[in-house]
């Protein structure tokens, strides 16, 4: 049921590769960093050569799960360089040098964020492109992420960006393409379910959604069923607290990175209870609509429910009552997930 519509929807929302404009910006920034960072470091008595610097693509472009957006495009490009972190303990100083290396006065003004240095490009007054540069020190065979803003707390955090890439890519490669589609569907749901005015802290992180999908995946010949199963499995992963009248007042979800530092990627939800509740409530609504779609006896009505998750991008076919039972009702099971 609706398999053609789901496959068409996937083709409509996915970004298969970087645009020429994105490649051009990325390569220019890489060149600027390699040319300037060693010199900036030398002024602080830090010996790093251009040949020591390595870049590692991270995030959805590396994983092949990027989707189109109405706003900015994000690209994560890790920067790795050798450094004795016991001698140069304040990673904020290295991030300042990284910022200087990417900066062009009055033209390109990078911003130091807690996990990275970000370069923003503006088009017609709106953010068009974000290039995030997480900075990793290579020391004694391990990588350490520079965490901290310009002021405040900071640390070199043990990390494994290459290992994380491998973990997820291995799982994605072992499926027939459905896993990548499911990740894109969940990202598109998030895009529709949350307002553009919602802060990043309020939204579930994309890495968390991706890890949940690849670890909870159950193969099914129909994307509709597979997607419903994934969403239900995520709901089942929540730990809930109810009020006396049965209302969900706290919803906790944890998902640890499968590599160092093994932290909970939903940690930001821990400090504000309603963010977890919002995520749970929105996803519960999605599951209800997916179950309603599965129960329909024609594709038109089923697609109407699915479109409530994905918006107008999901095609609703003309109404044509079909024999659904053989194709769908034999596929799904409303028992345990």
């Amino acid at each position: 049921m609706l398999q053609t519509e789901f496959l068409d929807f996937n083709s409509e929302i996915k970004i298969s590769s970087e645009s020429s404009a994105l490649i051009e910006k990325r390569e220019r920034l890489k060149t600027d960093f390699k040319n300037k960072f060693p010199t900036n470091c030398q002024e602080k008595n830090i010996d790093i050569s251009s040949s020591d610097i390595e870049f590692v693509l991270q995030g959805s472009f590396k994983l092949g799960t990027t989707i189109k957006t109405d706003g900015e495009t994000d690209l994560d490009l890790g920067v790795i360089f050798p450094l004795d972190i016991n001698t140069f303990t304040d990673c904020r100083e290295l991030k300042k040098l990284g910022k200087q290396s990417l900066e062009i006065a009055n033209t390109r003004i990078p911003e130091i964020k807690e996990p990275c240095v970000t370069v923003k490009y503006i088009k017609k007054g709106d953010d068009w492109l974000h290039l995030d540069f997480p900075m990793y020190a290579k020391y004694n065979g391990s990588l350490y992420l520079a965490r901290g803003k310009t002021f405040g707390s900071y640390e070199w955090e043990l990390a494994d960006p290459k290992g994380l890439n491998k973990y997820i890519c291995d799982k994605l490669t072992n499926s027939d393409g459905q896993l990548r589609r499911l990740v894109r569907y969940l990202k598109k749901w998030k895009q529709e379910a949350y307002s553009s005015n919602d802060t990043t802290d309020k939204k579930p992180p994309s890495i968390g959604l991706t890890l949940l999908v690849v670890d909870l995946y159950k193969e099914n010949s129909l994307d509709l069923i597979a997607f419903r199963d994934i969403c239900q499995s995520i709901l089942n992963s929540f730990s809930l607290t109810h009020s006396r009248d049965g209302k969900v007042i706290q919803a906790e979800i944890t998902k640890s990175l499968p590599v160092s530092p093994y932290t909970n990627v939903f940690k930001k939800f821990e400090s504000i209870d309603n963010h977890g509740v919002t995520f749970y409530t929105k996803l519960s609504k999605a599951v209800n609509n997916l179950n309603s779609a599965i129960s329909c006896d024609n594709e038109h009505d089923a697609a109407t429910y699915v479109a409530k998750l994905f918006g107008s991008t999901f095609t609703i076919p003309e109404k044509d009552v079909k024999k659904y039972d053989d194709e769908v009702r034999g596929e799904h099971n409303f028992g345990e997930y």
Side-chain angles (χ1 to χ4, degrees), residues 67-74 121 126-130 200:
I67 66 169
K68 298 173 183 175
T69 68
D70 294 330
E72 73 276 4
T73 298
D74 292 317
Y121 288 93
D126 296 319
D127 286 356
W128 165 60
L129 175 65
H130 289 184
T200 301

Side-chain angles (χ1 to χ4, degrees), residues 44 124 201 217 300 326:
K44 300 293 183 179
K124 296 181 179 179
D201 284 345
Y217 173 58
H300 170 85
D326 291 342

Side-chain angles (χ1 to χ4, degrees), residues 17-65:
S17 60
E18 298 173 71
S19 67
S20 58
L22 178 54
I23 293 173
E24 185 269 332
K25 298 293 186 187
R26 184 194 68 196
E27 293 304 311
R28 182 179 298 176
L29 288 168
K30 286 171 63 177
T31 299
D32 286 352
F33 191 92
K34 291 194 78 168
N35 288 341
K36 298 178 182 179
F37 188 64
T39 301
N40 290 334
C41 286
Q42 192 65 47
E43 294 175 358
K44 300 293 183 179
N45 296 317
I46 302 172
D47 186 18
I48 296 175
S49 67
S50 178
S51 60
D52 290 331
I53 299 171
E54 178 186 357
F55 296 95
V56 55
L57 188 62
Q58 300 177 229
S60 60
F61 276 100
K62 173 64 178 179
L63 304 177
T65 58

